[in-house]
Amino acid sequence: ALRHLAQDFYLAANPSDIAFVRQLHGNSDNLTDRLVTLRWLVRYEPPNLRDEVLKTFFDTWSHEALVVNQWLSVQATRPSLDCVESVVELSAHAAFDWQNPNKLRALVGAFASSNPIAFHRADGAGYRFLGDVVERIQSTNPQVAARMLGPLTQWQRYQEGQNVMRKELERIANIKMLPKDVREVVSRSLGASATG
């Protein structure tokens, strides 16, 4: 863990010095090292090399659902503005299942709660994506949909993006036959603005 932390700091300061990560990834004999190095490669490699290492990793581990969830999360938390589009693409990937709460948490939950750069993108695309996801799953999985709303309900804490976040909550509030779990979360968040 200490080595990983030190390497993490080193890469943040020297993002182009990634050769040792490629070597560590190729030579690692445990999944912990594989996942850590995958995260670094996804973060710092050019897109073509990033796609190559992701494909190889998926082909190797596609039979292990928990590892595939990690594979989704690694991509969803890549701190880059274009990660919004990557997550949208991944939501159509064969490895993703809209009916599976673990897949939803691994991709959408990780994106919205652990990728502030992409989620809070200035054009609001991250907020709209989360709103679209909640709208899609609210009738079939209201508990997960309600939990997914967490990052949007924090809208009053931000100077930028408040209006777009609030509009997404209002859009969800206007869904007909909205399940109680989701309605309560939305109403509480929007009601807090009216009273506070």
Side-chain angles (χ1 to χ4, degrees):
L2 180 60
R3 183 186 69 192
H4 290 160
L5 181 62
Q7 289 170 329
D8 211 11
F9 286 144
Y10 176 81
L11 282 168
N14 306 279
S16 61
D17 191 3
I18 199 162
F20 79 92
V21 177
R22 293 187 203 110
Q23 185 176 9
L24 182 60
H25 185 75
N27 295 335
S28 61
D29 59 1
N30 63 80
L31 186 57
T32 301
D33 280 347
R34 277 280 160 96
L35 283 167
V36 169
T37 53
L38 179 69
R39 180 171 56 84
W40 291 331
L41 292 170
V42 165
R43 183 174 290 194
Y44 298 113
E45 286 280 36
N48 60 323
L49 296 176
R50 178 175 71 222
D51 292 345
E52 186 179 312
V53 74
L54 283 166
K55 182 183 184 312
T56 301
F57 188 93
F58 179 76
D59 290 346
T60 303
W61 293 98
S62 59
H63 61 287
E64 293 284 349
L66 294 177
V67 180
V68 171
N69 290 348
Q70 292 288 325
W71 178 81
L72 291 168
S73 292
V74 162
Q75 294 175 81
T77 55
R78 179 172 57 87
S80 180
L81 294 175
D82 67 344
C83 189
V84 179
E85 286 74 22
S86 297
V87 172
V88 171
E89 283 181 30
L90 281 167
S91 71
H93 192 282
F96 183 74
D97 180 358
W98 284 96
Q99 304 303 314
N100 184 321
N102 291 329
K103 300 290 183 210
L104 284 162
R105 281 189 284 271
L107 181 65
V108 182
F111 167 75
S113 63
S114 300
N115 191 344
I117 289 174
F119 181 64
H120 295 288
R121 199 168 83 178
D123 66 357
Y127 309 146
R128 285 188 293 275
F129 171 70
L130 182 57
D132 290 344
V133 169
V134 170
E135 183 175 14
R136 177 168 178 165
I137 69 171
Q138 49 83 27
S139 61
T140 56
N141 204 330
Q143 292 86 8
V144 173
R147 277 188 237 114
M148 290 274 171
L149 277 170
L152 282 177
T153 65
Q154 306 299 314
W155 62 273
Q156 292 184 83
R157 296 182 178 186
Y158 299 95
Q159 276 191 315
E160 304 294 327
Q162 273 194 6
N163 290 338
V164 182
M165 294 173 87
R166 191 182 69 245
K167 283 179 183 174
E168 285 304 308
L169 289 168
E170 290 169 349
R171 173 168 72 101
I172 292 163
N174 288 323
I175 295 172
K176 291 182 179 177
M177 308 279 291
L178 191 65
K180 179 183 175 187
D181 306 70
V182 181
R183 188 177 64 249
E184 285 180 353
V185 171
V186 173
S187 298
R188 193 167 38 240
S189 179
L190 292 174
S193 69
T195 60

